Structures are given as C-alpha cells and as structure tokens.
C-alpha cells in the first residue's frame, strides 16, 4: 500500500468570532472563498497533505468557534495541538487586543512545545484597516512568533502561513524527524508519539480496507 | 439494519462534483418515483420532470459563481456578494407539504392527506382544542396549511380555548413590541454591546445561501428577536447557534402569506402589521422552545455535555460495532455530536426537514430536550455502513461533519423519527435493558 504521508500533526485555529478562521481554512484546503460563511459551532475539522523538504506532512486542522461560551469545549483541543494560529482581523482593533487573551489561554492549556504564529487576516480591506502592519509585527516580536498578514479573499499569504507553521512544527520535533529520516519507510505519527498513547497510525494504515458490515 | 434506500455514493463531501455525480447516478431512481406518483395519484404533474433537473442546475450555478469569485478582482466584491445571493435553489421548498417528496414539486393532495387536513381543521375549530389529540395527529407531520396555528398551539404560545386566542395574540404581540421600545436601544450600551456585536456578526451568516435571509428587513427582525431574548435570559445570553433556531418559526409563520418561492419572497412588501406579527410570534415560540433547553447555552454548556455523554452511552448499547469503531480510530462523540445538540441537527439537515422534525418535537413531551437524543442516535445509525467503511480518523471526521442529507425530505425524516421512537421505547424506561 502506497504511503499517504510520513508525518501527521495537528494545528489549531484560534481567534475572535468573525475574524475569518474558517475562510482561511477553506482557502487553504479547498481553494474556495465564501463571503458570508456559516458560523462555526464547537470545532470543525479539515486536513491537507504538504510536501516539506521531501517529507509528506499530513496536517489535521481544527477550526474553532470564536465565541467565549464555546471555550470550555474548544480548550479541550489545545492539549493535542502541535501548532496554533492566533488570528485577528486587521479591520477590528478589538480582535487584535484579544490576541493577548488567546495567547495566555494557549500558555495555560497547550503543550509547552507548541508552535505559534500570528495572523492578521482581511488584508484586502485596506479602507477599513484599524490595525497597522507594524502593530502586528511588534506584537509578534514580543511573543517571539512569526507574523503574516493574509487575505482569504485574494488568497494572499495563505499557503505561506500554513506552510510556515508546518515547518516550525517539524523543526520543533527535530528529534522525531531525525528518527523519521533514518527509517523513512515507517510512518510516523508525531501526535501519537507526543501523547505516548493511542494508536500508532502505521498500524491503522496497514489495516486491510475491507467492509466490516 | 435498514439499508433499503439508495444512498449517496460519495459520502465524503457535499462538494459540487460529488453531488453532481449523485444527481446523475440517481436520475433513474427519481424518474421511477415520479412515474409511480403519477399513477398512484391518477394525475399528471407536468413540472416534475423539469424539477428533477434542478439540483443539477443548482450545482452548475454554484460552480459558476464560485469560479467567478476566484477570478474576480477585489474591487467588485460587493457586487459579487449580491450575485452570490441570487436564487440558487428555487424548487426544493423551504416548507414542504406532507406529500412533498424530496426534490420533486408539490403533487396534488391524496385522499388520505385530505382527510388528515380535515381532522386538523376540525380540532382547531373546536371551542376548546383537544391538545392531546392535536399532538397525537401532529406527531407524524402537520399539513402545511395548518402548521402555523398548530405550532402556536403546541408550543404553548396560544391557549386551547378558541375564544381567548385572538386576545392573547394581541396582548403578546404588543408585549413584544414594548420590549423592543424599552430595550432595543440599549444594544449600544457598554453592558450589551458585546451581545449585540455577536448577533450582528452572525445574522448575515444565518442561512447564507438562501436569498430570503439576506434581505435587510429579515436580518433586522432576527437581530431584534435575538437581542431581546438574550438580554431577558442573562444566564445564557446569546450563544451562536440560537440564531439558527429562529429560522423555522420565521419561515413557518411567513408561510401563511407566501404561496410559492419563499426563498426569494420580498418580506418588506408585506403590510407592516403582518411583518410585526410574524416577528412577535417567532420571538415567543422561540422563547418557549429555549425555555426547555436553556442549559444547552449556559456556562460550560452542561446540557450539551450531558446529552453527548448520553448519546455515547446509548450508541454503545444499540450498536457496539459503531461504538468500537469510533474507539479504535479515536473519534470522540463530542467532535461531531456537539453541533448536533447545539443546533438541534439544523446544520445537518435541509431546512424543510428541520421543520418536519419540529412538528414531532412539539408533539412529543420534552421533544427538544429529550427525544432529540434518540433522534441523534437514530441519525448516527442511519450512516452505519458509511461509518464502518471508513478506516481512518480523518475519513470518519470528514464524513461525520458533512453527512450527505442534501436530498432528504419528509420520507427520510419520517423513517428517522420512527427509529428514534423505537429506541426511546426500548431504552428510555429500561436504561439497563441491553447491557454491553
């Protein structure tokens, strides 16, 4: 059976309601844009496989609801994330202010090793801009994160942002990565390794895809 | 196992291509159904063959519009937004009649339906409507013609006593508009502006593909209803998903004044008084519904967490294979069933199916808070074959978050409800009847 991917990990999209998390994700995974997307309830799921340095990287992306009431539910997903997008809307000062709160939640609930990236979305809406690019740069610097301004509408910096976070997660898991390079024939599930529990994906992948009815 | 119906071949996504494939692959089956209908009814439905083409056309349209989008320079964004809201599903009705089959139009009434409608009319016309009797008949679906009044009665908004109804309606409608006068201006106050902001963000995202809901007059109605409800219920306030719950009431009460093509009906063209009555009735009926499930929306959403746990427990008893399959691939019930509970399956079913579902929920005691659990279990089991054929986490999640119900109609909902009833009967009063 041909290998679908070499490494698997989980990324999480966080940020206020309406900043465009779902739009970023749809643009990235399906290259689609819908101006008024139905609001996300709880957590949604998509995936995509990227090729980074010759490694097939399968990323699971969890898209969360931004409203505060959902945070009891969404926080349950922090623990298992290896990378997190902190998203604000450049036309909303408020969503930018809230990045601090999102970042401190991440500190509290996500693993120490988690990689973060700051994203200022809706960069096409120049007339409505409330947050200057420099503000984003400065905040990202303060947190030691990379920073991108994106537009899901014009497809600006979308794949760059997702790829960068994926690269960072790979680099942060270099030990596992080296292991992978020495035994490239084995699928490696970073998520499972980190949790030290659960199914090894290679075992699941080898299952004969029969019908069990 | 109940797998007699033809199913979607490609269960992985709702995307245009797969639906197109589905439409093509099942054209024959739909044609056969229509022939049977015609014979059975002894009438000739001239439009049915045209209507059958529509889902395919709809898909073409949306493919074209999204292509247009991707190519468009961003200066024409707002024009394009309008284009996006062009009529896209003109035939599949928002409110289906008992007899409306899936994607076909509205065939003439059968003798059986006629007698059902007469029975409802008789109950509704009596000086004191027998609510027990009304519930009994409503369980298997309420005829479209009498649905608005029946919903008002079943929700507890209108009294059984016929003489008092007019007065109650007048009083409640006035009361609602007094709330508006008193409180709606406070949406800009420091204390409420977060609530209003969230509602305001969500309204354009409510049923975004149906033109009716993009009309400013309709969006304002939703904003007022939700804001007033939220500030009167501070324990939960406004929670995303509650916006969806206004829709069925609004559509059903609007249906009293619209005979066809409701998706594109211009609400502002109705007399102001009529618009106001629809708004007030929607508010009160939605309030009655939410009274029963408010713990779904309070801090930490205990109602939902409990129901998801109960669903897991129930499925582990009724279908061990599915339960173990989820365990094996580390699928958690919360990952798909949270939304089923939070939005009462509205995100998983076409609106016409939700309306039919709510006929039964309002006819059942604790329909929304309790019976819904059994409906969710039945809904999950419905996809048994597809679930068991997925052998990785990703495939399972993609399936469970995008179940292909776009073609569903009364028939599918009827079967779902029958199965839910069976489950409830077997397990509700005997929780340890089937031990794993």
């Amino acid at each position: 059976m041909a290998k679908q991917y070499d490494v698997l990990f989980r990324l999480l999209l966080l940020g206020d309601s309406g900043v465009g998390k779902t739009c970023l994700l749809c643009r990235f995974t399906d290259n689609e844009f819908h101006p008024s997307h139905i609001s996300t309830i709880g957590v949604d799921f998509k995936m995509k496989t990227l090729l980074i340095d010759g490694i097939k990287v399968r990323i699971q992306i969890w898209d969360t609801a931004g409203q505060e009431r959902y945070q009891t539910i969404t926080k349950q997903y922090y623990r298992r994330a290896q990378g997190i997008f902190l998203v604000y809307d450049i036309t909303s000062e408020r969503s930018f202010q809230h990045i601090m709160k999102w970042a401190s939640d991440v500190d509290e609930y996500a693993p120490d090793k988690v990689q973060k990236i700051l994203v200022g979305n809706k960069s096409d809406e120049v007339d409505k801009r409330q947050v200057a690019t420099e503000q984003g740069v400065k905040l990202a610097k303060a947190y030691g994160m990379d920073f991108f301004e994106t537009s899901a509408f014009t497809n600006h910096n979308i794949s760059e942002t997702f790829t960068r976070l994926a690269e960072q997660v790979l680099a942060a898991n270099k030990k596992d990565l080296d292991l992978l390079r020495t035994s490239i024939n084995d699928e490696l599930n970073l998520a499972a390794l980190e949790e030290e529990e659960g199914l090894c994906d290679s075992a699941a992948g080898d299952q004969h895809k029969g019908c069990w009815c | 196992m109940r797998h007699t119906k033809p199913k979607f071949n490609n269960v992985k996504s709702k995307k245009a291509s797969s639906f197109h494939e589905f439409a093509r692959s099942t054209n024959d089956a739909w044609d056969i159904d229509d022939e049977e209908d015609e014979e059975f009814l002894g009438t000739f439905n001239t439009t049915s063959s045209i209507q059958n083409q529509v889902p395919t056309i709809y898909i073409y349209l949306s493919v074209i519009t999204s292509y247009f989008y991707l190519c468009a320079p961003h200066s024409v964004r707002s024009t394009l937004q309008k284009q996006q809201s062009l009529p896209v599903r003109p035939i599949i009705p928002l409110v289906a009649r008992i007899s409306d089959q899936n994607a076909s139009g509205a065939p003439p009434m059968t003798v059986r339906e006629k007698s059902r409608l007469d029975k409802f009319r008789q109950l509704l016309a009596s000086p004191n409507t027998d609510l027990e009797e009304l519930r009994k008949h409503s369980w298997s679906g309420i005829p479209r013609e009498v649905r608005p009044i029946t919903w008002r009665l079943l929700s507890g908004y209108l009294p059984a006593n016929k003489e008092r109804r007019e007065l109650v309606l007048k009083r409640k409608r006035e009361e609602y508009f007094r709330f508006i006068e008193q409180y709606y201006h406070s949406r800009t106050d420091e204390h409420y502006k977060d609530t209003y902001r969230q509602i305001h963000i969500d309204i354009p995202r409510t049923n975004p593909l149906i033109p009716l809901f993009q009309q400013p007059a309709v969006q304002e109605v939703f904003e007022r209803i939700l804001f007033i409800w939220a500030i009167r219920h501070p324990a939960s306030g406004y929670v995303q998903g509650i916006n969806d719950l206004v829709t069925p009431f609004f559509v059903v009460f609007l249906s009293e004044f619209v005979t066809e093509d409701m998706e594109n009906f211009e609400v502002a063209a109705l007399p102001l008084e009529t618009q106001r009555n629809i708004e007030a009735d929607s508010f009160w009926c939605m309030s009655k519904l939410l009274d029963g499930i408010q713990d779904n929306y309070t801090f930490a959403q205990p109602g939902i967490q409990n129901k998801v746990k109960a669903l897991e427990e129930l499925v582990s008893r009724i279908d061990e294979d599915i339960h173990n399959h989820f365990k094996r691939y580390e699928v958690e019930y919360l990952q798909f069933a949270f939304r089923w509970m939070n939005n009462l399956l509205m995100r998983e079913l076409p609106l016409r199916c939700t309306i039919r579902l709510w006929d039964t929920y309002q006819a059942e005691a604790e329909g929304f808070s309790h019976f819904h659990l059994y409906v969710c279990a039945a809904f999950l089991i419905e996809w048994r074959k597809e679930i068991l054929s997925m052998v990785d986490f990703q495939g399972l999640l993609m399936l469970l978050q995008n179940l292909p119900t776009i073609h569903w109609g009364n028939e599918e909902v009827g079967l779902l409800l029958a199965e839910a009833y069976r489950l409830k009967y077997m397990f509700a009063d005997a929780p340890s009847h089937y031990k794993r």
Side-chain angles (χ1 to χ4, degrees), chain A residues 4-5 8 10 17-19 22 27 29-47 58-60 62 65-73 76-77 79-80 94 98 122 124-126 151 153-154 189 192 195 197-199 201 203-205 207-213, chain B residues 1 12 15 66 69-70 72-77 80-81 84 194 197-198 201-202 204-208 214 234-241 243-244 297-301 304-305 321 325 327-330 332 334-336 338-339 342-343 347 384-385 388-389 391-395 397-398 401-402:
Chain A
Q4 287 183 306
Y5 57 88
L8 169 77
R10 300 189 186 96
S17 188
V19 298
T22 306
R27 177 59 92 183
T29 58
D30 305 321
N31 200 16
E32 282 174 3
F33 179 78
H34 310 279
S36 54
H37 227 289
I38 200 159
S39 61
T40 305
I41 302 296
V43 175
D44 265 355
F45 171 87
K46 281 188 186 280
M47 61 175 174
R58 161 76 52 93
I59 51 180
Q60 289 181 1
W62 296 87
Q67 201 189 1
E68 205 170 329
R69 184 50 46 84
Y70 287 117
Q71 288 176 20
T72 322
I73 302 300
Q76 299 181 23
Y77 293 83
R79 189 174 57 80
R80 284 180 284 186
R94 184 175 181 269
H98 284 178
K122 308 195 189 176
D124 59 289
E125 299 210 34
V126 279
S151 165
F153 178 61
T154 64
N189 183 343
E195 281 175 42
E197 61 178 27
L199 283 175
D201 220 82
Q207 291 287 341
H208 182 64
K209 291 202 176 185
C211 179
W212 298 352
C213 318
Chain B
M1 271 202 275
K12 267 199 161 176
K15 271 198 225 139
S66 47
Y69 260 99
L70 299 179
H74 95 258
S75 58
V76 290
R77 189 173 187 166
L80 284 170
Q81 278 171 10
Q84 177 81 353
D194 280 354
R197 181 189 291 110
Q198 187 66 58
I201 291 174
D202 286 349
R205 305 197 283 181
T206 309
N207 313 304
Q214 299 309 313
S236 63
Y238 170 73
V239 178
Q240 292 182 304
N243 55 329
D244 282 359
Y297 307 108
T298 51
F299 177 74
Q301 306 194 260
I304 293 185
Q305 305 225 39
D321 293 346
H325 195 69
K327 270 205 164 144
R328 173 176 193 143
Y329 295 105
E330 299 183 296
E332 291 166 20
L334 199 65
Q335 288 162 350
F336 61 90
F338 181 85
R339 190 170 70 195
N342 193 74
N343 291 45
R347 291 284 178 94
R384 182 174 208 281
K385 202 169 120 215
L388 295 180
S389 70
V391 291
D392 63 18
F393 174 84
Q394 287 94 335
L397 253 278
M398 296 298 273
Q401 291 201 338
N402 304 280

Side-chain angles (χ1 to χ4, degrees), chain B residues 177-190:
Chain B
F177 282 99
R178 266 203 310 279
F179 292 154
I180 299 285
E181 272 167 45
Q182 252 178 306
Y183 302 116
Y184 195 56
H185 63 82
S186 70
R187 67 192 183 281
T188 51
D189 291 1
E190 192 56 36

Side-chain angles (χ1 to χ4, degrees), chain A residues 128-143:
Chain A
K128 293 197 209 156
R129 182 188 279 273
Q130 290 183 0
V131 185
T133 307
E134 300 72 52
Q135 287 175 272
V137 172
K138 208 174 143 194
L139 185 70
K141 209 171 176 186
Y143 282 114

Side-chain angles (χ1 to χ4, degrees), chain B residues 17-33:
Chain B
S17 59
S18 60
F19 184 79
H20 187 194
E21 278 164 31
F22 164 72
R24 260 201 326 227
S25 68
T26 55
N27 259 350
D28 293 350
W30 288 1
D31 291 345
I32 291 164
D33 277 354

